[in-house]
Amino acid sequence: MKKNILKYIFILIGIIIIIGIGILINKIIQLNKLSEMTSNEMIDYVINDDDKTIISVAIIKDDKIEYKTYSNNLKEDIVYDYEVGSISKTFVALLLSKTIEEGKIKINDSISKYLELDTNNYYPTIERLITHTSGYKGYYFNSKMIGNKFTQNNDYYGISRENILNKVKSVKLKDKDYKFEYSNFGISVIGLVLEKIYDKDFVTLMNEYIINDLKLYNTKVATSKGNLNGYWNWKADDGYIPAGAIISDIKDMSNYLNLYLESEESYITNTYIPIKDIKSNNYMYDKLDINMDKIAMTWMIDTENKFIWHNGATSNFNSYIAFNKEKKIGIILLSNLSPNKKIPMTVIGTTMMKELIYN
């Protein structure tokens, strides 16, 4: 009897191994196919037999902006509103850089200088937060996440600023640069610091900055509204808002991109000066030549292909932004597509950026 049980166990293990090998081989085949496709072929594949997907693209080259929207159900006169996900972090970095230039904060300050924390403990510096080397995890589990799985498409809904601050108080870190770990939590902590400096809630602060300084009039934080479907809901007091709650359109985002290509204002240029080497890739990124070699103030730097980039994703949207200032080339891709469906905008955008640079 025992021999039969062991026999079935070994057979089951063998089947699992064979399935795993099959999945890995299929993944390698798919990645090899992707590496041979052009960006236009990728976009055609994504929208093929899909009447719901809409991809808006802006290409800046030779001081000109070219717009194109890809869809099988295109309505020419509509400018679509997309969640830009973690590209929101670059807005936080820009406001932070302005705050540094105005002397309201120093990049090497500990957050304990601005937040009500136990001064006998170590807490990360602004620099370590903005470069994802603070030691904080990407996020910390909160019991509200369980309910959100059933009632929201936003895992972070209802996790308050107080929740974020309390977690900061409980996490024990050392005074060192940790290995790069992309952290929504860390950027949310920067949001708390900015609130203290300006004595305003983050949503009000960032919306005022976007309108008054950046002159982007169809870009908003945590509105949960637009002319597409599936936006994340947010509460006004949600602590993770700084990490990825901006909604914008292709016109505003191309103007935002153009700031980085055209402006010589130091607080803007400072945001994409390399700060640390991170060399943080995964298997898929390596196969597709997507590189995170260095990091600036949230911006990823591909030293191999010579451009600066960031991506973003929520449940029903994913996006990509990149630029090479020397060549005056930049792109924005916005889509109402889940990042787990078909080809992510990061893959298409990287391919498109390399085509523009090398061709």
Side-chain angles (χ1 to χ4, degrees):
M1 183 70 177
K2 289 182 178 179
K3 287 183 179 180
N4 287 336
I5 292 173
L6 286 173
K7 178 182 176 181
Y8 290 129
I9 290 173
F10 284 125
I11 291 173
L12 180 60
I13 291 172
I15 292 171
I16 292 171
I17 291 172
I18 291 170
I19 291 172
I21 292 171
I23 292 172
L24 179 60
I25 291 172
N26 183 63
K27 186 176 182 179
I28 292 171
I29 291 171
Q30 295 303 319
L31 288 175
N32 287 337
K33 287 181 180 179
L34 275 177
S35 65
E36 296 170 357
M37 294 171 71
T38 67
S39 60
N40 282 334
E41 288 172 338
M42 291 180 186
I43 291 173
D44 287 342
Y45 173 78
V46 168
I47 66 172
N48 184 43
D49 298 326
D50 185 346
D51 290 336
K52 294 181 179 180
T53 296
I54 304 167
I55 302 173
S56 295
V57 178
I59 298 173
I60 302 178
K61 188 176 182 182
D62 301 325
D63 297 320
K64 296 178 181 178
I65 303 178
E66 177 185 348
Y67 297 103
K68 188 160 186 181
T69 300
Y70 299 85
S71 173
N72 288 328
N73 191 21
L74 186 61
K75 298 176 181 178
E76 294 286 351
D77 297 333
I78 297 179
V79 179
Y80 293 97
D81 303 316
Y82 299 88
E83 289 181 336
V84 303
S86 285
I87 292 177
S88 304
K89 294 178 175 67
T90 67
F91 286 76
V92 175
L94 201 56
L95 176 56
L96 174 65
S97 184
K98 183 174 184 286
T99 308
I100 292 169
E101 183 157 296
E102 291 172 349
K104 294 182 173 73
I105 191 173
K106 294 180 181 177
I107 197 167
N108 290 316
D109 283 344
S110 166
I111 59 173
S112 61
K113 186 174 179 179
Y114 305 94
L115 303 178
E116 295 178 7
L117 300 168
D118 183 352
T119 55
N120 293 323
N121 293 330
Y122 164 76
Y123 296 97
T125 63
I126 300 300
E127 182 193 74
R128 286 170 175 163
L129 290 173
I130 206 69
T131 57
H132 302 288
T133 56
S134 68
Y136 285 139
K137 296 179 181 179
Y139 66 92
Y140 291 92
F141 175 77
N142 184 290
S143 59
K144 292 182 176 65
M145 290 180 172
I146 298 174
N148 289 340
K149 289 292 184 184
F150 299 98
T151 61
Q152 299 290 331
N153 58 12
N154 176 9
D155 287 348
Y156 304 113
Y157 179 80
I159 301 174
S160 69
R161 292 178 296 208
E162 184 179 3
N163 294 145
I164 299 289
L165 183 60
N166 287 337
K167 179 55 69 173
V168 168
K169 293 175 180 178
S170 68
V171 175
K172 304 301 181 186
L173 298 172
K174 295 180 180 179
D175 185 359
K176 67 174 187 177
D177 280 356
Y178 284 81
K179 183 179 179 181
F180 172 87
E181 182 174 0
Y182 190 82
S183 179
N184 288 323
F185 182 84
I187 300 302
S188 300
V189 174
I190 290 179
L192 294 180
V193 172
L194 289 171
E195 286 184 332
K196 285 291 184 181
I197 291 171
Y198 288 96
D199 194 26
K200 290 182 180 179
D201 68 274
F202 181 83
V203 172
T204 299
L205 175 63
M206 182 55 76
N207 279 332
E208 287 179 355
Y209 174 68
I210 287 171
I211 292 173
N212 298 333
D213 292 70
L214 302 183
K215 310 299 181 187
L216 305 177
Y217 300 108
N218 198 38
T219 301
K220 299 289 188 297
V221 181
T223 60
S224 306
K225 296 178 182 177
N227 53 15
L228 291 168
N229 298 314
Y231 301 104
W232 275 6
N233 291 320
W234 293 98
K235 289 184 176 181
D237 187 46
D238 280 349
Y240 278 97
I241 283 174
I246 286 179
I247 294 175
S248 188
D249 63 29
I250 197 66
K251 297 289 181 69
D252 264 17
M253 288 303 295
S254 62
N255 289 332
Y256 178 68
L257 171 61
N258 213 35
L259 282 175
Y260 295 95
L261 289 174
E262 298 294 337
S263 178
E264 296 301 331
E265 195 166 353
S266 58
Y267 96 84
I268 296 175
T269 61
N270 286 343
T271 62
Y272 54 86
I273 293 173
I275 298 176
K276 296 178 181 179
D277 294 331
I278 54 172
K279 297 291 182 183
S280 180
N281 277 8
N282 55 43
Y283 177 78
M284 186 187 85
Y285 276 19
D286 282 335
K287 290 290 289 183
L288 297 173
D289 195 25
I290 300 170
N291 303 307
M292 297 189 293
D293 300 314
K294 297 177 184 289
I295 189 168
M297 294 179 71
T298 69
W299 287 99
M300 307 299 168
I301 301 171
D302 183 338
T303 57
E304 179 73 22
N305 294 305
K306 299 180 175 59
F307 61 83
I308 296 162
W309 65 276
H310 209 291
N311 59 7
T314 57
S315 301
N316 300 302
F317 297 84
N318 81 103
S319 55
Y320 182 83
I321 181 172
F323 65 95
N324 176 310
K325 184 160 185 174
E326 182 181 355
K327 293 181 179 291
K328 292 289 183 72
I329 292 172
I331 61 170
I332 293 280
L333 287 84
L334 305 175
S335 78
N336 65 335
L337 191 71
S338 164
N340 300 318
K341 186 178 179 183
K342 293 192 175 181
I343 306 175
M345 294 304 108
T346 302
V347 176
I348 300 174
T350 300
T351 303
M352 185 180 295
M353 195 68 187
K354 289 190 290 186
E355 289 168 352
L356 290 168
I357 289 175
Y358 295 124
N359 292 340

